[in-house]
Amino acid sequence: MRFLVLVTFVIMVFSPTSMVHGGAIHEETFQRLDKIREDKRTQLFEYLARVVKNANAISSDELMLEFFGIKQKYYRLKKSQPPPAELRRLIETLKNGVRAHYLQKYLLFYDILFVDKNGDVFHTIRQQEDYHKNLFEGDLIKTSLARQLKNHPHERFVDYEYYSVSDEPSAFFVEPVVEDGSLSGWFVLQCGINRINNMFTEEKGLGTTGEVFLVNRQQYMLTQSRLSKDPSILNLHLSRKNIEAKFKERSGHMVVTDYRGFRALSSFEVCSIGNSEWLLIAKIDEAEVITEQYWRNREKLRDIFVPELRKQEPHPPGSMRVESNVVEVDMDEFRKVSDNQMICTYGVSTCTAIIVTLPERFAYMGHISNLDMVYGGESTDLIEHIFKRIKTFDIYEYERRQLTVTVVANHLDSVGNIIDKLVGEGLLLSQIKFLCVESEFGNVLHDYLTNQTLVEWHVDKENGRKLRQGAASVKPVGEVVKGLIGYK
């Protein structure tokens, strides 16, 4: 009878009307990512349409065309003889007028290069290092801009690459200048990446691990990753296999291991930009999707998954380094180690030990008694205090994903509240492990350098029977929840 009641309870908890599960989680997540991707695509193409329209306008801009011809003749004259003072003053007046015209009409572009058919840059707005240089000589000949003007002079777009002259990634919109039916040169309108990058910095709907970004055909990111401290624009190279598969498929959904080594659900689409193609990707970590499902249904899930955490067979730890400098944590306190020390606590029985580690950097250990808020008490709130210190002094926001948490108890009284508290602090279930063995008490030792945890459980103190358990073989809480909700 008791078995039938349990089965009925499980069916009720996981019925289709009570929660999303299994394949439906994928569908729900992909729909959400599709919406983010489509919104970003619309925003991107609206911006690019304005840029292209603005670039095209220069080919019929009488002031710019007249200046192109005059300045080109002046540049040739200067090569053969010093120009008269009056002509120099006239050219300076024209240059000032063209600059004012640029500020009024062409501010979408970082710079405008005036280039003759032989590659000479006879004028630029900003007059940086490419001014009065030849694009087909020296270091400049190595640029995509030079190669395209030389080999494909009528193509209109040069994709983003690092342009040393302005020390930033740049694309170029090329407008040929034709005189008497033949090519005289080009207006080359330089377009920085900042405006596009700013579109992709928004985090709405992306949670803590989601992001939307652009990738070029060479598998490099074109926008800054919100999850990386290092510059990613044209620096972060993604998996060739992953990116080429997406370019081949053109649009769709994939579950992949991303550039940080985490499994992620991604929605993607190939976007044609002139004669180039970019891959637009919206993605989110699978671990966050699982955590979101847990959080929505935690009242129903807790009675099921908490006992499951206790079912894992304890395995002995691997060898740990020997360290004489061991910091001891007493009940109702927490401490931090970061100078090669190890950290420990003794007598975990009706209480709970918690370890929060950024491997190789630091670890906090707390010994939580039944006076703490996670037990329903009011005297302490150790988890909140630990995370307040970590967020204030120890990590950047992007490093939160690298934290690991180990919870140690010989009972289930506190674990549900602790997991909810940790998720509330922004952790994912995949970052949390729970070690539990039926025993009288446990002693806990942790090494943050190797992220190893050893628990010595006193199973039968009278007869001296002990059990040693390591955290490495224990499944993260997220894996247990995945199995219960039928996620594959």
Side-chain angles (χ1 to χ4, degrees):
M1 181 65 180
R2 197 171 163 189
F3 175 76
L4 290 174
V5 170
L6 178 60
V7 170
T8 302
F9 178 71
V10 172
I11 290 172
M12 288 175 62
V13 169
F14 295 104
S15 67
T17 57
S18 61
M19 68 177 289
V20 179
H21 60 92
I25 297 174
H26 271 182
E27 184 178 349
E28 179 189 82
T29 305
F30 285 135
Q31 286 178 356
R32 166 181 160 195
L33 293 174
D34 286 348
K35 178 65 165 60
I36 293 170
R37 173 180 55 76
E38 289 163 5
D39 288 348
K40 199 57 62 181
R41 181 188 185 280
T42 299
Q43 190 178 356
L44 173 65
F45 274 76
E46 286 177 351
Y47 165 73
L48 290 173
R50 293 198 305 273
V51 172
V52 170
K53 183 179 180 181
N54 199 198
N56 291 343
I58 202 169
S59 62
S60 57
D61 188 323
E62 291 185 5
L63 188 152
M64 287 300 215
L65 287 168
E66 185 176 0
F67 181 77
F68 187 99
I70 293 172
K71 187 64 166 64
Q72 187 178 33
K73 290 182 177 72
Y74 178 76
Y75 179 73
R76 291 171 184 165
L77 175 64
K78 279 182 65 178
K79 282 187 171 183
S80 60
Q81 62 183 27
E86 183 63 29
L87 181 56
R88 288 200 304 270
R89 286 194 292 272
L90 175 61
I91 291 297
E92 285 302 315
T93 300
L94 289 174
K95 284 166 62 174
N96 290 334
V98 166
R99 179 172 178 79
H101 189 63
Y102 158 80
L103 293 172
Q104 185 178 7
K105 289 197 66 175
Y106 297 103
L107 264 183
L108 281 174
F109 300 99
Y110 174 79
D111 200 357
I112 303 177
L113 285 61
F114 294 65
V115 184
D116 72 18
K117 65 181 180 181
N118 298 314
D120 284 328
V121 182
F122 60 85
H123 183 68
T124 73
I125 300 297
R126 292 183 179 269
Q127 299 191 1
Q128 295 185 314
E129 289 183 13
D130 48 7
Y131 181 56
H132 286 179
K133 295 286 180 66
N134 189 291
L135 294 177
F136 303 154
E137 297 174 357
D139 289 339
L140 291 176
I141 198 172
K142 301 174 185 177
T143 64
S144 295
L145 173 61
R147 288 194 297 271
Q148 181 164 307
L149 293 182
K150 196 172 184 65
N151 301 318
H152 306 283
H154 296 288
E155 289 190 359
R156 300 297 183 93
F157 179 69
V158 182
D159 207 343
Y160 283 98
E161 70 169 9
Y162 176 74
Y163 190 60
S164 60
V165 172
S166 50
D167 192 28
E168 67 175 4
S170 294
F172 299 93
F173 290 83
V174 178
E175 290 296 324
V177 178
V178 177
E179 290 184 1
D180 300 325
S182 62
L183 181 69
S184 177
W186 304 271
F187 291 112
V188 178
L189 299 98
Q190 182 179 353
C191 192
I193 196 68
N194 292 341
R195 291 175 188 265
I196 291 177
N197 187 54
N198 289 340
M199 293 179 203
F200 287 79
T201 58
E202 297 175 11
E203 302 175 5
K204 185 178 179 181
L206 290 167
T208 59
T209 66
E211 56 181 339
V212 56
F213 54 90
L214 293 171
V215 185
N216 66 16
R217 268 287 187 179
Q218 290 72 45
Q219 301 99 44
Y220 283 96
M221 268 199 186
L222 286 176
T223 50
Q224 177 61 37
S225 166
R226 64 178 283 230
L227 306 176
S228 173
K229 67 182 174 75
D230 299 316
S232 62
I233 300 173
L234 294 178
N235 286 308
L236 182 56
H237 188 263
L238 306 185
S239 162
R240 179 177 178 178
K241 181 180 178 181
N242 172 9
I243 299 304
E244 284 189 348
K246 287 176 176 174
F247 269 111
K248 183 177 181 180
E249 195 163 326
R250 309 300 292 177
S251 67
H253 304 134
M254 285 188 185
V255 180
V256 299
T257 299
D258 75 359
Y259 61 93
R260 299 167 302 138
F262 299 118
R263 278 175 59 84
L265 283 73
S266 65
S267 168
F268 62 91
E269 174 186 4
V270 175
C271 301
S272 295
I273 314 295
N275 48 308
S276 295
E277 289 184 329
W278 297 342
L279 188 63
L280 175 56
I281 299 174
K283 71 177 187 64
I284 191 169
D285 283 12
E286 179 184 83
E288 182 164 6
V289 174
I290 299 300
T291 302
E292 288 173 347
Q293 289 298 320
Y294 164 75
W295 191 252
R296 292 181 202 171
N297 301 280
R298 61 190 181 278
E299 298 301 325
K300 298 171 183 176
L301 277 170
R302 184 182 290 184
D303 290 337
I304 297 293
F305 94 88
V306 169
E308 287 291 320
L309 298 175
R310 195 171 192 169
K311 291 181 180 179
Q312 299 186 67
E313 288 292 326
H315 294 279
S319 59
M320 297 182 70
R321 69 185 178 99
V322 177
E323 173 58 63
S324 59
N325 189 2
V326 181
V327 174
E328 184 176 337
V329 180
D330 293 328
M331 188 179 294
D332 291 326
E333 77 167 3
F334 69 88
R335 300 184 70 179
K336 175 188 175 183
V337 289
S338 59
D339 295 320
N340 295 328
Q341 310 128 306
M342 298 171 81
I343 194 164
C344 72
T345 194
Y346 298 102
V348 178
S349 53
T350 58
C351 41
T352 302
I354 184 168
I355 305 150
V356 185
T357 301
L358 184 60
E360 301 183 6
R361 288 256 299 273
F362 65 81
Y364 284 81
M365 180 180 284
H367 192 137
I368 305 171
S369 78
N370 55 14
L371 299 177
D372 194 270
M373 291 183 68
V374 295
Y375 282 86
E378 297 180 354
S379 295
T380 61
D381 191 352
L382 293 191
I383 292 176
E384 181 173 320
H385 291 315
I386 288 172
F387 275 90
K388 185 175 182 179
R389 290 193 64 83
I390 289 173
K391 292 174 182 178
T392 304
F393 300 112
D394 297 313
I395 66 171
Y396 294 103
E397 177 64 23
Y398 70 88
E399 294 179 304
R400 183 168 55 182
R401 186 72 169 86
Q402 301 169 32
L403 295 173
T404 65
V405 178
T406 305
V407 181
V408 180
N410 64 353
H411 56 82
L412 303 178
D413 297 344
S414 60
V415 63
N417 288 338
I418 287 176
I419 288 172
D420 286 357
K421 184 88 172 176
L422 293 172
V423 172
E425 292 289 349
L427 266 69
L428 307 178
L429 296 181
S430 61
Q431 296 173 259
I432 307 167
K433 290 186 174 184
F434 178 54
L435 278 63
C436 183
V437 169
E438 189 173 341
S439 60
E440 294 185 24
F441 64 91
N443 299 324
V444 186
L445 176 68
H446 180 74
D447 180 2
Y448 76 91
L449 289 177
T450 59
N451 198 23
Q452 288 180 288
T453 303
L454 165 66
V455 183
E456 183 181 73
W457 297 106
H458 289 251
V459 179
D460 186 347
K461 185 178 180 181
E462 186 175 333
N463 295 310
R465 191 159 71 89
K466 301 176 184 178
L467 182 66
R468 290 162 62 89
Q469 182 182 22
S473 61
V474 175
K475 288 181 181 180
V477 173
E479 288 297 312
V480 177
V481 172
K482 275 176 67 174
L484 288 172
I485 65 177
Y487 182 96
K488 295 182 181 180

